[in-house]
């Protein structure tokens, strides 16, 4: 119903009830003469503000601890929505903030709460909203750090977050505040819905309908019921869940915190115990810098490999290392770590049995995988954790704890699932066909490298020798919109110069998406493409090669992060429809190549292929997306000067200042008249 103008402009009825003065708080601030002489005015006025907000004036001098979270939306007292958040991942974490704050208050300190909400990568898939996704991480981390520094009397900080960009941003913020005690509370996962699809599969209803695989009614039903509970990250081991695993692997969370089911009593208890742990760190004067060490970084990479985590963490882990003042890992470091362990965890979307994340939690989660890594002799157990104890002590507790025993027993009794088939020993994992997580292809299309989550390639298209081989014609797209339309079959049956963008993708094609890196789209995710191909019967025969990145739930022969990106002059931007691309991925040696091997109907040796790529102009349709925001263009330029995607898309301030100064000097010199 449309409001009348009178409803909008209002009346004078409430003026009579409007106060123009108030009494103010009762009591006195705990101020001394020495404080008046020596304290900054901000510290004194802060006490005034605290009393003004209703805190007991006699207590405003107590130690202060900040809880920074990504809470989004507005819930009623009964949990019903007043205003929606962007996603379930931040919808319930206000409950964690409340539990932690009440615990801190009961312990005699003052909790503060600040909020920096986050977007949903699922909501923005296939839209221009995705152009802000990865850049948001840096923005949020900076905002959180500014908020932390804006509480000058802080004694410690707690970060509470869940999802793809909010939790990495929180980790960067705490790493950048490493001179203080800190702790992370991961916001957990949503439960799978009974008789419904998971949140990854349900994102393919459009592609499946286009190929006649489901009806409109089925799409509407499954689309409604995929989220079993209103809070938590998605039920698969995507970027959100992997970020929780990595946070725990770094020692930044309490043990057995990652992947806890949102809204459950055990999840709320985690917030209370985390608050007490933060106070223990404060009492022991243990800053985050004592936890964020090179050995902890190595552990985080090991757990990423053991879980088969999202390739987006190849952007976030180096960024966290940079924020913590550690050396950023190189491709050689990643390869070495992945050679140390196969994937040990069977979880969505990697298979083979595709356990949802809550079952991984009930099987023992991160500490259970760590037990296996410790037995293998690859885990660094002398590192300190936010418990205040070394990891070795934590794992000794976990191995014999009633928590471990009860969780694993519950998984068997409630779901009929053997926990040892969810989190496996190395020998059992290899016997089940699980392989190492990531491989870094190179070749004439990716001279600076690329990445593929090799463990998620469908085993049916991998040779008996453990090598994936594919040779097929390139289908080159300059936008994700064109690519998804062709995958849905919304175009002609064959490609030619006139209708290449509209021709339907067919079995064995190599889908090449260019101009989707940082300079073109802010390095968008392309889950629309990978998920569609996963659920189309012939889709597994079509690899993807792109300078974009992939959702953590993506599966298949998906080669992303191709460098240099097309808009930076990379050879991927010179491919044409019909070029023959050869991909070889060895899941045993972790070696891989992606090469142009034929063009114009003739085979090309290495020299001839190099000559073709060197002489060709860029694809005629290659350009930054017309709706690329200026905010993202700025991010792209700054991260490019700081090491680019292989450096974690960070802001290296010293390097940026150097580049800007050199650029100004060059421009000034070029502008002078001789």
């Amino acid at each position: 119903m449309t409001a009348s103008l009178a409803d909008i402009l209002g009346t004078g009825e409430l003026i009579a009830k409007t106060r123009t003065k108030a009494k103010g708080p009762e009591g006195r601030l705990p101020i001394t003469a020495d404080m008046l002489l020596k304290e900054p005015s901000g510290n004194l006025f802060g006490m005034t503000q605290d009393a003004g907000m209703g805190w007991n004036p006699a207590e405003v001098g107590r130690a202060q601890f900040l809880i920074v979270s990504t809470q989004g939306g507005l819930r009623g007292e009964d949990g019903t929505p007043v205003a929606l958040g962007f996603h379930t991942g931040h919808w319930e974490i206000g409950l964690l903030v409340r539990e932690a704050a009440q615990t801190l208050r009961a312990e005699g300190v003052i909790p503060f709460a600040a909020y920096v909400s986050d977007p949903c990568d699922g909501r923005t898939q296939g839209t221009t909203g995705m152009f802000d996704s990865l850049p948001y991480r840096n923005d949020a981390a900076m905002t959180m750090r500014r908020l932390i520094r804006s509480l000058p009397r802080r004694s410690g900080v707690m970060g509470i977050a869940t999802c793809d960009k909010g939790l990495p941003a929180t980790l960067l913020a705490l790493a950048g505040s490493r001179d203080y005690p800190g702790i992370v509370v991961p916001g957990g996962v949503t439960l799978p819905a009974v008789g419904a699809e998971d949140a990854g599969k349900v994102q393919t209803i459009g592609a499946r309908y286009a190929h006649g695989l489901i009806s409109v009614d089925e799409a509407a039903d499954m689309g409604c019921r995929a989220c079993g509970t209103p809070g938590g990250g998605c039920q698969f081991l995507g970027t959100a869940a992997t970020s929780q695993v990595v946070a725990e692997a770094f020692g930044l969370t309490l043990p057995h915190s990652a992947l806890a089911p949102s809204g459950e009593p055990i999840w709320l208890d985690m917030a209370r115990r985390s608050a007490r742990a933060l106070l223990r760190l404060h009492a022991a004067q243990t800053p985050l810098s004592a936890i964020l060490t090179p050995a902890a970084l190595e552990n985080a990479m090991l757990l990423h490999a053991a879980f088969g985590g999202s390739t987006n963490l190849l952007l976030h882990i180096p960024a966290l290392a940079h924020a913590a003042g550690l050396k950023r890992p190189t491709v050689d470091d990643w390869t070495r770590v992945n050679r140390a362990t196969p994937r040990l965890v069977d979880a969505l979307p990697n298979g083979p049995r595709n356990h949802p994340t809550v079952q991984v939690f009930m099987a023992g989660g991160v500490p259970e995988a760590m037990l296996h890594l410790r037995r293998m002799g690859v885990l660094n157990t002398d590192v300190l954790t936010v418990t205040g104890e070394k990891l070795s002590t934590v794992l000794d507790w976990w191995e014999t704890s009633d928590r471990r025993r009860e969780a694993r027993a519950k998984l068997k009794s409630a779901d009929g699932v053997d926990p040892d088939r969810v989190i496996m020993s190395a020998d059992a994992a290899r016997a089940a066909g699980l392989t190492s997580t990531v491989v870094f292809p190179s070749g004439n299309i990716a001279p600076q490298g690329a990445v593929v989550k090799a463990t998620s390639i469908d085993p049916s298209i991998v040779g008996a020798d453990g090598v994936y081989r594919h040779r097929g014609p390139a289908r080159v797209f300059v936008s994700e919109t064109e690519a998804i339309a062709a995958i849905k079959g919304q175009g002609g049956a064959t490609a030619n110069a006139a209708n290449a963008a509209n021709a339907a993708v067919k079995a064995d094609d190599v889908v090449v998406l260019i101009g989707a890196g940082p300079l073109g789209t802010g390095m968008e995710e392309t889950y629309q493409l990978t998920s569609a191909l996963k659920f189309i019967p012939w889709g597994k025969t079509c690899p993807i090669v792109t300078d974009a990145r992939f959702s953590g739930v993506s599966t298949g022969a998906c080669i992303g992060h191709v460098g240099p990106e097309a808009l930076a002059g990379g050879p991927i931007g010179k491919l044409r429809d019909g070029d023959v691309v050869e991909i070889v991925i060895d899941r045993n040696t972790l070696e891989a190549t992606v090469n142009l091997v034929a063009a114009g109907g003739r085979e090309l040796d290495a020299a001839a292929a190099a000559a073709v790529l060197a002489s060709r102009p860029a694809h005629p349709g290659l350009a930054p997306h017309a709706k690329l925001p200026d905010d993202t263009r700025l991010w792209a330029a700054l991260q490019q000067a700081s090491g680019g995607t292989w450096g974690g898309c960070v802001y290296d301030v010293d390097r940026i200042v150097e580049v800007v100064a050199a650029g100004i000097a060059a421009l000034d010199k070029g502008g002078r008249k001789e």
Side-chain angles (χ1 to χ4, degrees):
M1 181 177 178
T2 303
S4 69
L5 183 59
D7 291 333
I8 294 171
L9 296 178
T11 68
E13 179 182 355
L14 297 178
I15 291 293
K17 301 177 182 179
T18 301
R19 296 184 299 168
T20 60
K21 62 181 70 69
K23 185 178 180 181
E26 297 283 352
R28 293 167 53 85
L29 298 181
I31 290 177
T32 66
D34 191 58
M35 292 169 64
L36 291 171
L37 291 173
K38 297 179 180 178
E39 288 287 340
S41 65
N43 285 357
L44 299 173
F45 183 61
M47 292 182 175
T48 300
Q49 293 276 37
D50 300 344
M53 288 183 280
W55 205 266
N56 182 351
E59 298 177 358
V60 297
R62 293 180 175 181
Q64 300 176 354
F65 290 82
L66 175 62
I67 304 169
V68 60
S69 79
T70 56
Q71 179 185 342
L74 182 64
R75 293 161 49 98
E77 290 297 321
D78 60 354
T80 56
V82 176
L84 289 170
F86 286 2
H87 54 93
T88 61
H90 63 212
W91 177 244
E92 287 189 326
I93 61 174
L95 301 177
L96 294 174
V97 174
R98 180 182 295 273
E99 291 293 326
Q102 288 176 339
T103 302
L104 290 171
R105 182 170 188 169
E107 294 289 337
V109 301
I110 304 178
F112 284 74
Y115 306 95
V116 183
S117 195
D118 55 344
C120 175
D121 282 1
R123 187 178 292 273
T124 59
Q125 291 291 337
T127 76
T128 55
M130 179 55 71
F131 300 168
D132 288 292
S133 171
L134 183 55
Y136 165 88
R137 183 205 66 183
N138 289 16
D139 296 344
M142 288 194 299
T143 300
M144 289 178 182
R145 286 195 295 267
R146 291 189 189 280
L147 286 170
I148 292 168
R149 293 191 296 266
S150 296
L151 188 65
R153 289 183 50 221
R154 65 196 177 277
S155 294
V157 61
M158 173 185 290
I160 304 180
T162 301
C163 279
D164 294 26
K165 301 305 175 297
L167 182 49
T170 303
L171 295 174
L172 299 191
L174 266 67
S177 308
R178 57 190 180 275
D179 293 338
Y180 292 84
I183 195 168
V184 171
V185 181
V189 299
T190 189
L191 295 178
V194 177
E197 295 177 353
D198 66 81
K201 184 175 182 178
V202 79
Q203 293 183 52
T204 70
I205 52 178
R208 284 184 286 153
Y209 175 75
H211 284 273
L213 300 175
I214 58 172
S215 67
V216 172
D217 286 344
E218 288 171 319
D221 182 43
M222 289 298 103
C224 178
R225 297 195 291 121
C227 297
T229 46
C234 294
Q235 306 107 327
F236 47 79
L237 194 72
T239 305
T242 307
S243 296
Q244 295 183 41
V245 168
V246 163
E248 186 170 337
F250 258 108
L252 294 172
T253 80
L254 293 183
H256 202 218
S257 289
L259 315 182
S262 181
E264 297 297 300
I266 198 169
W267 175 80
L268 290 169
D269 179 62
M270 175 177 62
R272 294 189 288 266
R273 292 184 292 107
S274 296
R276 297 186 190 106
L278 180 58
L279 295 179
R280 189 174 190 231
L281 291 170
H282 172 62
Q285 297 185 323
T286 304
L288 279 167
S289 58
I291 296 167
L292 292 167
T293 63
L297 171 61
E298 181 101 351
N299 283 350
M301 296 168 69
L302 273 167
L303 268 295
H304 176 272
F307 270 74
S310 164
T311 53
N312 281 318
L313 272 293
L314 274 71
L315 301 171
H316 302 321
I317 288 178
L320 199 162
H322 178 261
L326 305 175
K327 179 180 178 292
R328 286 177 274 182
T330 65
V331 168
D332 289 342
D333 293 325
W334 282 107
T335 300
R336 172 178 51 79
V337 166
N338 276 268
R339 283 177 175 154
T341 179
R343 174 166 60 96
L344 305 179
V345 179
D346 180 350
L348 277 169
N350 297 325
R353 288 172 290 272
N354 288 317
H355 297 287
T357 42
V358 68
Q359 291 186 349
V360 178
F361 174 79
M362 298 301 285
V366 171
E368 191 68 21
M370 283 181 162
L371 288 181
H372 292 298
L373 294 171
R374 181 166 71 168
R375 292 177 192 128
M376 293 164 62
V378 296
L379 192 68
N380 299 289
T381 58
D382 282 338
V383 296
L384 193 65
T385 73
V386 290
T387 64
E389 304 293 336
K390 289 185 177 181
L391 180 58
S392 56
T393 302
V394 170
L395 293 181
D396 288 343
W397 161 79
W398 172 255
E399 194 163 20
T400 59
S401 69
D402 63 337
R403 184 183 178 99
R404 177 181 185 241
R405 183 174 58 255
E406 292 293 335
R408 289 163 62 84
K410 176 77 171 184
L411 181 59
K412 280 186 178 180
S413 63
D415 294 354
V417 172
D418 181 353
D420 289 329
R421 298 190 71 188
V422 180
I423 302 174
M424 293 168 268
S425 68
D427 289 342
R430 291 189 181 99
L434 276 60
T435 59
S436 297
T437 295
V438 293
V439 178
F440 298 90
S442 60
N444 59 30
I445 294 174
Q448 290 182 358
V451 66
V452 59
K453 187 160 71 170
T455 193
S456 69
I457 300 175
D458 191 309
S460 68
I461 55 173
V462 178
D465 58 354
V467 180
Y468 167 83
R469 299 176 179 86
H470 185 89
R471 180 185 170 103
R475 288 298 321 282
V476 182
F477 301 96
V478 295
S479 77
E480 188 191 21
T481 302
E482 290 180 353
I484 191 61
I487 289 172
K488 287 181 176 179
Q490 298 169 342
T494 59
N496 57 49
N499 71 355
N502 296 320
V505 169
K506 60 185 184 301
D508 296 321
D509 283 349
V510 178
V511 175
V512 179
L513 174 62
I514 63 174
L519 296 174
T521 66
M523 203 176 187
E524 64 184 341
E525 274 188 0
T526 55
Y527 184 58
Q528 266 203 124
L529 310 184
T530 59
S531 61
L533 291 173
K534 177 176 181 177
F535 291 104
I536 295 171
W538 47 262
K540 64 185 178 182
T541 71
C542 294
I544 296 178
V545 181
T546 180
D547 50 10
R549 60 192 177 91
F550 298 117
S551 166
V553 72
S554 293
T555 59
C558 305
I559 298 173
H561 302 213
V562 169
E565 64 175 298
L567 285 164
I572 188 175
K574 298 182 178 183
L575 294 178
R576 300 290 191 273
D577 267 55
D579 286 347
V580 177
V581 174
E582 182 180 69
I583 300 168
V584 179
I585 301 170
D586 191 325
R587 301 204 297 184
N588 303 309
T589 64
L590 307 191
E591 297 172 341
T593 55
V594 52
N595 286 306
L596 171 68
V597 294
R602 66 185 181 95
E603 295 291 313
L604 302 172
D605 61 20
V612 167
L613 291 171
S615 61
R616 274 184 182 173
H619 191 287
L622 180 65
H625 196 284
K627 294 186 177 180
L628 185 67
D630 284 346
D631 299 328
T632 300
R633 290 178 59 213
L634 176 61
W635 165 85
L638 295 176
Q639 66 84 36
Q640 186 179 39
S642 304
T645 57
W646 295 107
C649 296
V650 302
Y651 295 158
D652 184 335
V653 176
D654 290 340
R655 174 64 176 164
I656 291 169
V657 170
E658 179 185 356
V659 169
V660 170
I664 291 173
L667 289 172
D668 288 346
K669 182 177 180 181
R672 284 201 302 266
K673 294 181 179 180
E674 298 297 328

